[in-house]
Amino acid sequence: MDYLPLAFDLRQRRVLLVGGGAVALRKLRLLMRAGALVRVVSPDLVEAVREYFGPQMDWRCGLFEDSDLDGVCLVIAATDDREVNAAVSAAASRRGIWVNAVDQPECSTFIMPALVDRSPLLVAISSGGTSPVLARMVRTRIEAMLPGNYGRLAELSGALRHKIKKMLPDVHQRRRFWEEMLQGRFAELALQGQNQAATQILEESCVRLASTDSVGEVYLVGAGPGDPDLLTLKAIRLMQQSDVVLYDRLVSQGVLERCRRDAEFVYVGKARSDHAVPQPQINELLVSYARKGMRVCRLKGGDPFIFGRGGEEIEHLAAEGIAFQVVPGISAANGCAAYAGIPLTHRDYAQSVRFLTGHVKNGVIDIPWNELLHPGQTLVFYMALVSLSQICTALVEHGRDAETPVAVIARGTLPEQKIVCGTLSTIAERVSSVGLRAPTMTIIGDVVRLRDQLAWGHNP
Ligand code: SAH
């Protein structure tokens, strides 16, 4: 992040605006709306700027001088002379005053975002100076999403906030209450300007809620293999409304960023031989957070029900009488296959696909090898990096063709995705010589050949 958007309270604060033309006029309008006391310095003014003369705006006719900076908290240099703007910027910076030179980010200590103004609700959009056109396009979209009178809703909510806080002291319960209200009848009435009716509905709902015990809920959410764009809409909705997020090692940073920012984040990840938080403890954590009335998001890599121990977690929740929902996710097998250009089934090459785990327990992989020999069956192995050579050898020994193609995909769907291809007889050595790191998916079967036919490597 190159810039941090902040919302300044400029009411009754002095701001210096250098320039009196069309560019300065645009900035002046914004500053006036924000309630600033604006000192304009310029040898002349366009007519539209003059119209703002009054208690909030004065003008010193002349060129910028250092003394114009006395007592100001913010400076905008908006002349059509880049050198003058640069000089104003340098003078302000010497005094440690925040300065913006219009269209000269190199001379600015802050930049001004595009705005969607539904005061008191404000949305600021910035491309960090890289593409004002893109920022404007995003603004147009947001403008269309937010009804023009959305500010009314914010205003009325603000007026009732303290009252509701007293009636619902529990922060989680209160947050849930507001989420419901801001999407329901209260919001509709407030948007229509029917404040009295809206207030009545809000207070009645609040009284009802305050008299019931709050019980939380657990969402078992499939976070997919890594690329956050692969999250389902339902996953995002529940992630956004959760009070606490318990996540695994394989949940990517990009996915975590889609969760509610102020949620509590609890890492319960498990590396292969390093059980950070044992499963029974995770089960207990889920129950105890829910009992506190919190909405708990249990984020699991891929799909919760595919090698994810989701079944054990919901068994425990059901036994404890905790409400839960399960949201399916794109499993690593699907994600990796799609991003690597390997169809898992194909009319001509594979009529079935089997998901297996290569996890080794006491030196043994417990797999019915004889069921895996049909050339028309694609095999997809999870957790099979360490055991890759053992798996390939066993398959060949039991009779699968040693020339069967194999692809190993590391960190599939993420920008750093890597793919190594070979056959049952060559893949283990290739993978170790490249030094592939977990997590990896191993896909075995003739379908892997299609990747080359589709020239996927050249057309990601
Ligand atoms: N529930 C998960 C699987 C959990 S088991 C799912 O449905 O995907 C963990 C294994 O998944 C890892 O050892 C690895 O084999 C595989 N895996 C998960 N994410 C992956 C990724 N981005 N790329 C490759 N393999 C991945």
Side-chain angles (χ1 to χ4, degrees), residues 142-387:
I142 297 179
E143 286 277 7
M145 272 166 57
L146 298 180
N149 46 7
Y150 225 56
R152 281 187 188 165
L153 187 55
E155 229 164 77
L156 187 59
S157 305
L160 293 163
R161 207 168 146 222
H162 290 292
K163 193 167 190 183
I164 298 297
K165 194 168 178 180
K166 276 205 194 117
M167 291 167 81
L168 292 177
D170 178 76
V171 61
H172 304 298
Q173 200 184 22
R174 197 163 64 240
R175 192 179 286 148
R176 201 174 320 172
F177 171 75
W178 276 117
E179 277 168 12
E180 265 171 38
M181 292 298 116
L182 290 171
Q183 296 177 62
R185 186 93 188 109
F186 163 74
E188 297 214 349
L189 290 168
L191 287 175
Q192 290 161 20
Q194 299 187 39
N195 284 5
Q196 212 176 344
T199 305
Q200 194 183 341
I201 287 217
L202 187 88
E203 289 179 354
E204 282 170 8
S205 311
C206 189
V207 169
R208 248 196 326 275
L209 189 65
S211 62
T212 55
D213 278 346
S214 80
V215 185
E217 192 179 3
V218 175
Y219 312 131
L220 206 61
V221 175
D227 181 349
D229 282 355
L230 294 178
L231 285 164
T232 62
L233 296 176
K234 187 167 180 183
I236 293 191
R237 184 165 56 77
L238 297 183
M239 284 156 68
Q240 281 288 326
Q241 66 178 41
S242 294
D243 304 305
V244 56
V245 179
L246 280 77
Y247 64 101
D248 280 339
R249 188 173 57 101
L250 286 177
V251 174
S252 70
Q253 191 56 33
V255 167
L256 284 177
E257 281 167 14
R258 301 293 200 278
C259 293
R260 210 178 70 213
R261 287 277 144 127
D262 56 352
E264 190 182 328
F265 287 83
V266 183
Y267 176 67
V268 292
K270 286 173 275 182
R272 194 168 53 85
S273 51
D274 158 32
H275 287 247
V277 179
Q279 190 64 46
Q281 209 172 317
I282 296 177
N283 297 347
E284 276 312 313
L285 273 175
L286 295 175
V287 171
S288 70
Y289 280 118
R291 289 243 160 89
K292 284 186 205 158
M294 295 164 91
R295 284 163 304 178
V296 188
C297 178
R298 173 71 177 110
L299 257 190
K300 300 175 81 74
D303 179 85
F305 282 175
I306 296 186
F307 302 127
R309 306 189 73 169
E312 293 165 52
E313 289 175 13
I314 57 170
E315 253 177 74
H316 191 76
L317 294 170
E320 296 287 332
I322 304 282
F324 62 84
Q325 298 185 45
V326 182
V327 184
I330 303 232
S331 191
N334 304 102
C336 292
Y339 281 49
I342 303 171
L344 293 177
T345 66
H346 188 285
R347 265 161 63 111
D348 303 329
Y349 301 99
Q351 293 70 42
S352 70
V353 55
R354 186 142 172 177
F355 291 177
L356 302 119
T357 161
H359 187 64
V360 184
K361 210 171 179 181
N362 305 325
V364 185
I365 317 174
D366 186 17
I367 283 177
W369 300 107
N370 287 331
E371 294 174 17
L372 311 183
L373 308 179
H374 196 287
Q377 180 181 208
T378 304
L379 308 177
V380 183
F381 276 93
Y382 292 72
M383 295 172 271
L385 184 60
V386 174
S387 52

